[in-house]
Amino acid sequence: RSPAQRGEGSGHAWAGGAGGQHTRVPFPAAPAPPAASPSAAGRCPTPGGAAALFCRPAFLQLTPEELRRADDHTGRAVQSPRDGRRRLPWSTGYAEVINAGKSQHNEDQACCEVVFVERRPSPRGRQPSGDGSGEKGFYFHYWALFDGHAGSGAAVMASKRLHLHICEQLRDLVDILQDPSPPPICLQHDARAGAAELSRAPLTEDNGEVPSDALPRFHLEKAVSHESLVIGAIENAFKHMDDQIEQERASQSISGGCCALAAVYLMGKFYVANAGDSRAIIIRNGEIIPMSREFTPETERQRLQFLAFLRPELLGKEFTHLEFPRRIQPKELGKKMLYRDQNMNGWAYKKIEEDDLKFPLIYGEGKKARVMATIGVTRGLGDHDLKVFSSNIHIKPFLSCFPEVRVYDLTQYEHCPDDVLVLGTDGLWDVTNDEEVASVVMEVLTSYEPNDPCRYTMVAQELVVRSRGVLKERGWRLPNDRLGSGDDISVFVIPLGGPGNYT
């Protein structure tokens, strides 16, 4: 098992916050900020075997009494890091609230870390060369939300481990990312050799002769950016996280699955990775910049249909990969009805056959759309044991653990204290659109001084309160009397102006 799977020292975590909380956990004394040496940061805590237990993010530092209030479906008290306790990195704001009774506990989880990526030791002990040879590693900032379903086990484990998997993937890139020259296409022998040295490796065959087609091959090489290496590291980290959940789901009592939304700040850029139906937006000078898109049966219809078309055995002779506007009745056999397949965006007519009477792979609209009448999200972590009700048909083959990663370069713009990145689980976005979120952000921030470190927490709290609504006779209601969100709601508000101070 890798260090990331064990929860051990592939890197360091500063201002820790991923671990589950069952009673009050004393916060460690403040270590040096990222500018300090790697040894100044404490290692990530080793996750225990408590994946199946109810817990809240440790950075909330809830007392036992506060933990009980956080688990109360009736009062639905909003939880945030309290004044006088340690602030999150970058003066990040966070708030959450439990659902109105749809599940026993809050199945959302959150993590906020500053992680040191340490260069992997060279197997032969030689020092790497290149411009970045004097650096032992680098830090990245990390925020993540995990929206669990059918249990909180997958969300709890991912909140403890995903940043470690990202760290593990980045360890091979320490020298390459710190070297301004293009990344080497092929690592020669020692993966720790400097990027500059690797890129100068000769184009020779094993016998030392230069191949006759060396020049054409050189001109056909695809340019690969440092940015794309980070994206690949994050994508692979999600895959390794999903594999670990699969391997340990029995021993760790990991139930269900989770959507995952993570933001990584590294070397001047934000990398926002989304697998599921959570959402991230940037609000910059009043402008809304989407940083994710939701992955649902409707948005991924063609991918799902194409897989079912290629591998019809996955449908278990119970489903059809074709989509129809409604269920087909047996009496409609032989008639022509609207349909679309994996290649179509529009609709056409086809003659109804016996196979078309099967239940459609994708059925329903909007939030009610389901894959195989079972699950409403198509990307995420876990769900390895999920089956169609009363059948042996597995749904996992249709679910992808790979995120879509979008990049935002902070160095391209001058940001003011009111520019923020908002991460939210679907409990927020189900009842509040992007424009309403931006309005709340601007309204709250203008009522606080720009240097007030609590302003971003107040934004997060207000977003949660307005989406939850107020409890009335007919349930939780918004000011316009529409139903408020009955789901778990979790929100990060991250200022784009920089880390701020760490006191």
Side-chain angles (χ1 to χ4, degrees):
R1 295 171 61 196
S2 70
Q5 288 178 312
R6 298 192 301 270
E8 294 176 357
S10 58
H12 302 278
W14 181 80
Q21 180 177 348
H22 307 279
T23 57
R24 182 171 181 176
V25 179
F27 224 64
S37 66
S39 61
R43 290 193 179 275
C44 293
T46 301
L53 300 178
F54 165 66
C55 60
R56 300 312 314 140
F59 62 71
L60 288 175
Q61 296 181 267
L62 301 181
T63 65
E65 176 57 32
E66 290 169 335
L67 198 58
R68 284 190 288 271
R69 290 184 63 225
D71 203 31
D72 178 16
H73 298 279
T74 304
R76 298 187 75 190
V78 176
Q79 307 299 322
S80 287
R82 297 287 185 265
D83 292 342
R85 300 178 186 173
R86 184 171 180 79
R87 292 206 309 272
L88 297 178
W90 282 51
S91 297
T92 296
Y94 175 80
E96 68 173 38
V97 73
I98 194 172
N99 60 80
K102 62 175 288 189
S103 61
Q104 182 180 1
H105 301 297
N106 187 339
E107 294 183 336
D108 283 1
Q109 289 293 330
C111 180
C112 181
E113 299 279 359
V114 182
V115 182
F116 182 73
V117 182
E118 190 173 22
R119 178 194 296 126
R120 206 182 303 279
S122 170
R124 290 187 295 231
R126 74 180 185 84
Q127 291 298 317
S129 60
D131 295 339
S133 61
E135 300 294 334
K136 294 182 180 179
F138 49 71
Y139 286 89
F140 68 85
H141 290 70
Y142 171 86
W143 303 260
L145 297 174
F146 303 93
D147 184 354
H149 48 257
S152 60
V156 171
M157 174 172 270
S159 72
K160 295 177 179 180
R161 305 279 183 87
L162 180 58
H163 59 290
L164 299 180
H165 282 289
I166 294 175
C167 179
E168 185 71 13
Q169 293 297 310
L170 289 173
R171 292 188 74 192
D172 290 328
L173 305 177
V174 167
D175 296 311
I176 294 172
L177 292 179
Q178 294 180 113
D179 191 313
S181 53
I185 291 177
C186 181
L187 296 180
Q188 304 291 330
H189 307 301
D190 185 358
R192 302 281 68 74
E197 177 183 334
L198 293 169
S199 62
R200 292 193 296 268
L203 288 170
T204 60
E205 301 286 9
D206 291 340
N207 59 10
E209 296 181 4
V210 178
S212 59
D213 61 343
L215 189 60
R217 271 199 345 216
F218 175 80
H219 286 293
L220 290 174
E221 287 177 352
K222 181 174 289 188
V224 176
S225 66
H226 290 81
E227 181 180 290
S228 65
L229 290 180
V230 177
I231 293 173
I234 294 172
E235 291 169 334
N236 276 334
F238 271 67
K239 179 62 169 68
H240 286 294
M241 184 71 253
D242 193 57
D243 290 344
Q244 184 179 6
I245 291 173
E246 180 181 20
Q247 294 162 12
E248 300 185 14
R249 66 188 189 277
S251 62
Q252 299 290 328
S253 300
I254 300 171
S255 57
C258 67
C259 300
L261 173 64
V264 172
Y265 173 75
L266 175 63
M267 298 180 177
K269 295 180 180 180
F270 266 106
Y271 297 82
V272 179
N274 185 45
D277 61 357
S278 297
R279 189 185 306 174
I281 63 171
I282 281 175
I283 301 164
R284 187 187 69 205
N285 195 27
E287 177 189 3
I288 298 170
I289 305 171
M291 289 301 295
S292 68
R293 64 186 175 105
E294 285 90 282
F295 292 98
T296 67
E298 288 187 311
T299 63
E300 292 215 281
R301 172 186 63 84
Q302 287 178 286
R303 178 183 73 82
L304 300 173
Q305 287 182 312
F306 188 65
L307 176 59
F309 171 74
L310 291 178
R311 298 186 59 192
E313 70 275 9
L314 296 176
L315 300 176
K317 299 182 179 180
E318 299 289 336
F319 295 87
T320 173
H321 75 283
L322 299 178
E323 182 184 14
F324 299 93
R326 62 166 172 79
R327 288 298 309 277
I328 300 172
Q329 305 299 316
K331 63 182 180 181
E332 294 173 320
L333 278 170
K335 295 183 179 180
K336 284 193 171 183
M337 181 173 282
L338 287 170
Y339 85 104
R340 58 181 176 179
D341 64 18
Q342 69 277 3
N343 300 309
M344 301 169 63
N345 284 314
W347 296 82
Y349 288 94
K350 78 176 292 288
K351 185 178 179 180
I352 299 301
E353 303 170 1
E354 189 75 31
D355 267 0
D356 299 329
L357 297 177
K358 296 176 180 176
F359 201 88
L361 171 65
I362 300 167
Y363 188 71
E365 283 186 293
K367 293 294 290 186
K368 295 182 179 179
R370 295 290 183 269
V371 177
M372 294 180 161
T374 305
I375 188 169
V377 291
T378 53
R379 297 201 191 189
L381 304 171
D383 290 312
H384 297 280
D385 297 314
L386 184 63
K387 297 180 182 180
V388 175
F389 182 72
S390 295
S391 81
N392 200 38
I393 302 174
H394 285 268
I395 298 178
K396 181 64 175 179
F398 292 96
L399 309 180
S400 172
C401 64
F402 283 94
E404 177 188 64
V405 183
R406 298 190 180 185
V407 184
Y408 180 82
D409 191 343
L410 275 180
T411 66
Q412 296 299 307
Y413 307 92
E414 287 191 15
H415 295 92
C416 73
D418 292 352
D419 296 337
V420 297
L421 169 63
V422 177
L423 311 180
T425 54
D426 66 333
L428 171 71
W429 308 104
D430 285 348
V431 298
T432 312
N433 60 37
D434 294 358
E435 290 73 22
E436 290 168 333
V437 167
S439 176
V440 171
V441 167
M442 291 183 285
E443 175 188 328
V444 175
L445 290 180
T446 53
S447 63
Y448 289 86
E449 292 294 327
N451 60 351
D452 188 334
C454 298
R455 65 202 307 256
Y456 305 106
T457 295
M458 301 310 297
V459 173
Q461 289 180 355
E462 189 66 17
L463 288 172
V464 170
V465 167
R466 294 202 189 187
S467 299
R468 178 202 64 182
V470 177
L471 183 59
K472 298 184 178 179
E473 290 184 2
R474 295 179 297 118
W476 293 89
R477 295 282 167 172
L478 304 179
N480 59 11
D481 207 40
R482 288 191 297 123
L483 273 174
S485 176
D487 200 357
D488 302 312
I489 310 172
S490 301
V491 177
F492 274 123
V493 178
I494 306 163
L496 297 181
N501 66 68
Y502 289 84
T503 59

